[in-house]
Amino acid sequence: MSKELVSAESLLHQAEWRFRLLVEGVREYAIVLLDAKGDVTNWNPGAERITGYKAEEILGKSFARFYTGIDRLLGAPDKALSLAARDGLQEGEGWRLRKGGERFWAKTALHAFRDTSGEILGFAQLMKDLTEQRLVNAKLHQLAYYDTMTGLRNRICLLNDLKSLAEKNGASGLNAVSIVMLDLDGFKEINDSLGHSTGDHVLSQVAKRLSVAARGSGKAYRLGGDEFTLVLPGCDDPLLASNVADRAMRAVEEPLEIDGRRLTVGASAGIAIAPAHGSSVEEVIGSADLALHDAKLSGGRKFSLFAPAMRARVAARQELKLELRRAHMAHEFDIFYQPQIRLRDGAVVGAEALLRWRHPDRGLLTPASFIETLARNPIATDVGVWILHAACETAAAWRAKGLPPIRLAVNLFPDQFHDPDLPAIVADALRQHELPPDALELEITENIALGNEETAKARLRDLRDLGIGLAFDDFGAGYASLKCLTQYPLTRVKIDRSFVDMITDPPASADTAVVLSMITMAHHLGLSVIAEGVENEYQAQFLRDQGCDEAQGFLYAQPLAAEKFVEFMWRAWSQRVGEGRARPTLVA
């Protein structure tokens, strides 16, 4: 053998030895050499680590066994060899199988080797196990696009999905898409009173119900807090969108069983339809949000379809909110007092404290023009505390002047009632102004208690323990009135003026029967009854005949400034003492 041949063979052995060291030293990658048919001819430790096969178990076997059953059925291994033979390299990612049948996600590269004539000699298959990285990426995707608590798609996912729908229409933007935006009614009270853990359970159950309600029509998303959205692709029919909104709201309102408690929450919804209510993603979402806001302002537990006039109303409300904040800081609010008369003898036994706004440009404003906006303003609680202290201070001053002691009724804002410090605030006001507890009565409406009855009852018990009176305002105007009467520690009910208006001369038997039943029912429950909105002597006489305890209204007096109320009180008292009149003189 010539020296040149020996030298060439030596170099070949050295090259093979270096290659084997390189291949066997790589453990991160599976490096598999295949013959022209795809059978394994070489197997490195990395391949053994990733697949679980030892070299003696796999040598001479087809590399197709690493593919899943469905991939083999579709001919994926043969296609990979064909593409690698044609292009020299075939790359990709997909599921592969370990020895025990467990799947792993692999990044693969299949290289083809040819001789000098171009004939395929074999292939080199490189595989890297990306299963853990894929799981991490999937987790990151889940965190980025899905709500961790409810599992629903989140706000980012909503925007991306809507943008994808818009891109399908090109420059025209969104088309034939309905958005139903929902917000829970009464959720804040549950969260505040029963804790965030219970609140989280409520949100999770609501999310499941909304997913079911949207099934077949669209997708459900959680935007954050207690706000959800349904997207209905292909829907530009207001009736269909309204039906989905109604179905979703009714699903939410079904009672919830959480930790042995039976809870209820309501929902309000706003509906916007593209392209009628906006063609861009931002426009349609904004329109749905405005419609939701309108539904909430209308009392909640209903849905509103977007209308262009809503934008102007919202702008006006925003301006009013800013004005109200300025008014509070500038001390423009005032309190007027409307007398409450005992019907059997005409004595003035109480007064309702009513808010007024001395507007610098528009003059004296009644609550009808601003109270709803104020009640939803963050300053409502501060204004409510001011009303309480100002009224108590005035009542104490009247007593110091020698006026006959009367009961003062103060209305509560919803946020003020839900403040856990309310009992302490009331106690402090009584103590600070040296007013006896029985001189104060707080008025609440049923919407304050809806959805969170247990918390409402506990709050009312704490207030009642102070010795103050508790009146249920607007009795009969809502469906929960009877339930509140039987469960809450109330002392008085106030018949809503709409029922007093039914008392006409000659009387309509059906209408007067309603009023009579209210008085009878309240008395059976041990509650006093006062009627508001009494405007004529016939109404007063009817109420007196039916056993109603008290009345207030324009028949006796309009709401009066504090100094005018003092004059009214002196005049009414002197008339009763000196002349024995049954009713105070009318004050214009």
Side-chain angles (χ1 to χ4, degrees):
M1 182 180 295
S2 67
K3 290 182 179 180
E4 290 79 5
L5 184 58
V6 171
S7 178
E9 287 181 348
S10 176
L11 289 173
L12 179 61
H13 284 305
Q14 289 180 33
E16 289 178 346
W17 177 72
R18 291 193 186 98
F19 176 74
R20 189 175 295 108
L21 285 177
L22 175 64
V23 170
E24 292 181 356
V26 175
R27 300 187 59 81
E28 184 178 358
Y29 287 89
I31 302 177
V32 185
L33 300 183
L34 311 174
D35 61 19
K37 297 185 300 180
D39 292 337
V40 177
T41 62
N42 198 286
W43 191 252
N44 82 326
E48 180 178 325
R49 181 186 64 83
I50 291 173
T51 68
Y53 288 102
K54 296 185 180 300
E56 58 268 22
E57 296 176 302
I58 201 67
L59 292 176
K61 307 291 176 54
S62 173
F63 88 119
R65 70 173 48 208
F66 306 128
Y67 285 78
T68 63
I70 186 66
D71 283 343
R72 290 197 298 270
L73 187 63
L74 295 174
D78 291 336
K79 290 179 183 177
L81 292 175
S82 298
L83 290 173
R86 185 191 71 187
D87 302 329
L89 174 65
Q90 195 268 333
E91 295 179 298
E93 290 187 14
W95 290 111
R96 296 293 185 267
L97 293 179
R98 305 191 202 276
K99 178 179 178 181
E102 177 191 357
R103 296 195 310 170
F104 68 98
W105 187 261
K107 182 176 183 179
T108 63
L110 189 63
H111 297 261
F113 295 101
R114 302 176 183 273
D115 61 14
T116 54
S117 67
E119 188 74 21
I120 293 291
L121 294 176
F123 301 88
Q125 169 84 77
L126 275 73
M127 289 190 296
K128 184 176 182 180
D129 184 357
L130 298 180
T131 308
E132 185 174 347
Q133 181 179 328
R134 179 181 171 85
L135 291 174
V136 170
N137 291 340
K139 184 65 175 178
L140 291 174
H141 182 274
Q142 183 78 15
L143 292 172
Y145 296 103
Y146 287 80
D147 178 52
T148 55
M149 182 192 304
T150 65
L152 292 183
R153 299 163 183 84
N154 64 12
R155 183 183 292 273
I156 295 175
C157 192
L158 169 68
L159 295 175
N160 287 346
D161 289 352
L162 289 176
K163 287 176 182 177
S164 296
L165 290 172
E167 288 169 0
K168 289 181 180 178
N169 297 317
S172 61
L174 284 172
N175 187 42
V177 177
S178 293
I179 294 179
V180 180
M181 192 171 289
L182 300 105
D183 183 271
L184 301 185
D185 299 324
F187 175 74
K188 181 179 183 298
E189 291 74 24
I190 289 177
N191 226 14
D192 291 345
S193 61
L194 302 180
H196 290 278
S197 176
T198 299
D200 291 348
H201 283 300
V202 170
L203 292 174
S204 296
Q205 292 198 31
V206 166
K208 292 176 183 176
R209 294 179 180 185
L210 291 177
S211 295
V212 173
R215 191 172 297 161
S217 303
K219 298 176 181 177
Y221 302 77
R222 182 190 177 206
L223 303 189
D226 60 346
E227 193 170 6
F228 298 83
T229 293
L230 307 181
V231 174
L232 315 177
C235 174
D236 58 0
D237 182 354
L239 181 59
L240 179 58
S242 297
N243 287 340
V244 173
D246 183 62
R247 183 168 70 239
M249 291 169 60
R250 283 189 283 109
V252 170
E253 290 173 356
E254 288 293 319
L256 299 161
E257 294 288 344
I258 298 177
D259 296 332
R261 292 189 179 95
R262 188 175 177 85
L263 304 175
T264 58
V265 291
S268 302
I271 303 171
I273 301 173
H277 302 150
S279 58
S280 72
V281 171
E282 293 76 13
E283 281 181 312
V284 181
I285 289 178
S287 296
D289 193 44
L290 286 172
L292 172 60
H293 190 61
D294 182 79
K296 299 284 282 187
L297 286 178
S298 300
R301 302 202 175 206
K302 60 181 67 176
F303 64 82
S304 294
L305 183 66
F306 173 77
M310 291 178 182
R311 296 191 189 279
R313 289 201 295 268
V314 167
R317 281 194 294 268
Q318 289 301 115
E319 183 177 351
L320 181 56
K321 280 184 178 180
L322 295 175
E323 269 208 281
L324 288 167
R325 182 175 293 277
R326 179 198 57 74
H328 180 48
M329 296 180 67
H331 307 291
E332 293 174 5
F333 291 130
D334 198 357
I335 301 176
F336 278 40
Y337 300 87
Q338 186 168 37
Q340 296 176 329
I341 309 303
R342 190 164 58 207
L343 285 171
R344 62 179 171 83
D345 59 5
V348 181
V349 293
E352 181 178 5
L354 298 168
L355 189 64
R356 294 293 186 266
W357 181 4
R358 296 189 182 277
H359 195 283
D361 300 320
R362 299 165 60 192
L364 187 66
L365 302 181
T366 62
S369 61
F370 65 87
I371 199 67
E372 286 190 6
T373 302
L374 176 58
R376 293 172 173 82
N377 195 308
I379 67 169
T381 300
D382 292 338
V383 173
V385 172
W386 172 81
I387 293 172
L388 177 66
H389 275 272
C392 288
E393 182 180 15
T394 299
W398 289 344
R399 292 184 175 225
K401 291 179 180 179
L403 280 174
I406 62 171
R407 178 190 69 244
L408 194 65
V410 176
N411 294 276
L412 295 179
F413 291 111
D415 283 352
Q416 187 182 7
F417 177 78
H418 295 305
D419 182 353
D421 293 330
L422 177 62
I425 291 171
V426 172
D428 179 64
L430 294 172
R431 182 172 54 254
Q432 182 175 330
H433 303 291
E434 299 181 350
L435 195 67
D438 61 2
L440 178 64
E441 181 174 84
L442 299 181
E443 293 190 5
I444 65 166
T445 55
E446 68 174 273
N447 65 324
I448 286 180
L450 285 179
N452 197 10
E453 289 84 357
E454 291 303 317
T455 302
K457 283 190 286 187
R459 184 65 41 77
L460 290 170
R461 281 194 297 268
D462 290 341
L463 291 169
R464 190 73 186 94
D465 288 343
L466 297 175
I468 66 173
L470 297 173
F472 186 57
D473 197 9
D474 300 334
F475 177 53
Y479 70 89
S481 301
L482 179 58
K483 182 178 181 181
C484 291
L485 285 188
T486 57
Q487 294 188 358
Y488 295 172
L490 303 172
T491 56
R492 191 181 320 277
V493 294
K494 179 179 283 190
I495 298 177
D496 185 68
R497 67 178 61 246
S498 63
F499 293 96
V500 175
D501 289 342
M502 295 178 180
I503 305 171
T504 57
D505 186 11
S509 58
D511 294 339
T512 55
V514 172
V515 176
L516 176 58
S517 66
M518 290 180 181
I519 296 171
T520 302
M521 179 172 54
H523 283 165
H524 277 305
L525 293 172
L527 303 173
S528 296
V529 182
I530 182 171
E532 64 178 346
V534 178
E535 297 187 353
N536 57 64
E537 186 61 51
Y538 181 82
Q539 292 172 337
Q541 186 61 50
F542 175 86
L543 291 165
R544 188 181 301 115
D545 292 343
Q546 304 308 320
C548 184
D549 302 291
E550 300 172 14
Q552 69 182 84
F554 287 1
L555 173 64
Y556 307 104
Q558 298 181 16
L560 304 168
E563 63 277 8
K564 292 293 185 182
F565 186 87
V566 171
E567 294 176 9
F568 176 88
M569 279 286 294
W570 281 123
R571 186 158 52 247
W573 185 57
S574 62
Q575 286 174 348
R576 291 187 67 248
V577 172
E579 303 176 17
R581 297 180 60 126
R583 178 173 66 81
T585 303
L586 171 66
V587 175

